[in-house]
Amino acid sequence: MSPEMTTQDRRRELAEFLRSRRARRTPAEAGLPTFGRRRTPGLRREEVATLAGVSITWYTWLEQARDIRVSRQILGSLATALGLDEVERVHLFRLADEPPPDGPPSRPELPPQYELLLTHLDPNPAFIVNPRFDILAWNRGCELLYGDLGALPTARRNVLWLTFTSPEVREMSRDWESEAALTVALFRTQANEGILAPGITALIAELTDASPDFARLWRRKELAPFVPQARTIDHPLLGEVTLDYVKLHVANDDKTLVSYLLPPGSEVESRFLKFVGNPET
């Protein structure tokens, strides 16, 4: 949507979009019986209203671009009634000035180039996350920080979950309170309008129940931009280690590469190599 689009422009676009999709949808596709000849091949307004569970007057006003507010629940009902695909559903929500719902789940497989990049970054701990901060792929260096991620249930391979529920991860932090608060603020900032997406609200609810610390920090509603910085940890095997922490967004994707960088040729790198091994072996 153009940033210059006014509220009235948005309402008109929404009305036109609904009319166009109503005209495209046949009664048979919507599971409605047909009797006699119809003047138009699409659905009538009263049929869409009935399918979506709203009044015909209210739906008529919506198609007339009247100044009315549409709830997320009704938007979902309209999308179903009109047979919208995922792209059209997102478009409908944006026209109504609502954060779009979650799209189809991300493919569990990542492009092989991502895995290759993680391998080349060893022994630098590196991993790839989605907007929920789920860890989708990682290298051997990463397992030195977060343990055997492969042994965890998929839903628990999550940066927030590990930060707030793993005693081992917590004990490595020199200043857990500050780092945890920053992680929550970064998450809220990166989620942006997607903060109301079902997958994210479910994660927040689970964390709120599992961790009073998360619930307390989440209530602050703090935001923070990401700034590359150094982080010092007390590792049970490596001792005190200082790493540079960077994040890079993957082009044309909703994923992010996160890496802790070791000074090349340093004693710290040697310590990591001792436990990770040669990444090419």
Side-chain angles (χ1 to χ4, degrees):
M1 228 63 60
S2 168
E4 291 81 23
M5 179 176 282
T6 66
T7 301
Q8 185 57 38
D9 290 335
R10 192 185 294 273
R11 285 200 293 266
R12 281 195 293 264
E13 286 285 339
L14 174 60
E16 291 174 8
F17 182 66
L18 290 171
R19 288 196 297 269
S20 71
R21 293 311 182 263
R22 176 168 62 83
R24 184 189 67 179
R25 183 84 158 157
T26 67
E29 290 171 337
L32 297 175
T34 56
F35 301 101
R37 295 177 60 84
R38 298 173 67 97
R39 287 180 295 177
T40 59
L43 296 177
R44 301 185 180 102
R45 282 178 176 170
E46 57 267 29
E47 290 171 331
V48 174
T50 300
L51 288 169
V54 298
S55 74
I56 176 58
T57 300
W58 185 91
Y59 181 74
T60 299
W61 286 351
L62 191 60
E63 281 201 5
Q64 291 174 345
R66 299 277 192 99
D67 185 9
I68 56 177
R69 184 70 180 175
V70 191
S71 72
R72 294 178 60 79
Q73 181 179 357
I74 291 177
L75 286 171
S77 297
L78 288 171
T80 300
L82 295 169
L84 303 188
D85 62 24
E86 290 299 330
V87 173
E88 292 169 328
R89 184 181 290 262
V90 167
H91 186 64
L92 174 68
F93 273 71
R94 292 194 184 280
L95 286 175
D97 200 22
E98 285 285 343
D102 277 355
S106 298
R107 292 184 308 158
E109 307 87 7
L110 289 172
Q113 293 85 353
Y114 290 12
E115 303 279 359
L116 184 60
L117 174 60
L118 292 173
T119 298
H120 279 295
L121 282 170
D122 261 328
N124 299 282
F127 53 95
I128 292 172
V129 296
N130 62 13
R132 273 178 34 113
F133 281 21
D134 294 319
I135 301 174
L136 306 178
W138 60 93
N139 62 10
R140 289 182 287 183
C142 177
E143 291 195 333
L144 270 180
L145 298 185
Y146 290 116
D148 185 3
L149 293 171
L152 297 176
T154 302
R156 296 298 177 246
R157 295 175 200 156
N158 179 278
V159 173
L160 285 169
W161 191 264
L162 291 167
T163 299
F164 285 95
T165 68
S166 169
E168 294 79 12
V169 171
R170 186 167 185 151
E171 288 171 7
M172 283 194 299
S173 176
R174 280 288 183 89
D175 185 356
W176 182 88
E177 177 73 20
S178 296
E179 291 186 357
L182 178 59
T183 300
V184 171
L186 288 171
F187 176 73
R188 185 184 286 277
T189 303
Q190 187 168 315
N192 198 8
E193 65 178 15
I195 204 71
L196 297 178
I200 289 182
T201 57
L203 173 64
I204 292 168
E206 281 190 283
L207 281 163
T208 299
D209 289 340
S211 170
D213 285 321
F214 175 82
R216 171 175 54 84
L217 293 174
W218 185 252
R219 285 194 298 268
R220 293 182 184 177
K221 299 187 181 298
E222 292 179 347
L223 301 166
F226 175 76
V227 178
Q229 58 186 293
R231 181 188 175 196
T232 299
I233 62 173
D234 288 316
H235 195 276
L237 296 176
L238 302 168
E240 180 182 311
V241 178
T242 298
L243 308 167
D244 283 316
Y245 173 50
V246 298
K247 293 173 66 175
L248 300 171
H249 292 294
V250 178
N252 301 318
D253 206 336
D254 64 353
K255 299 175 182 62
T256 302
L257 170 69
V258 180
S259 184
Y260 295 89
L261 302 178
L262 310 167
S266 66
E267 190 269 338
V268 171
E269 184 184 50
S270 298
R271 275 188 273 168
F272 265 80
L273 281 170
K274 175 182 177 182
F275 291 97
V276 173
N278 189 329
E280 296 184 1
T281 61

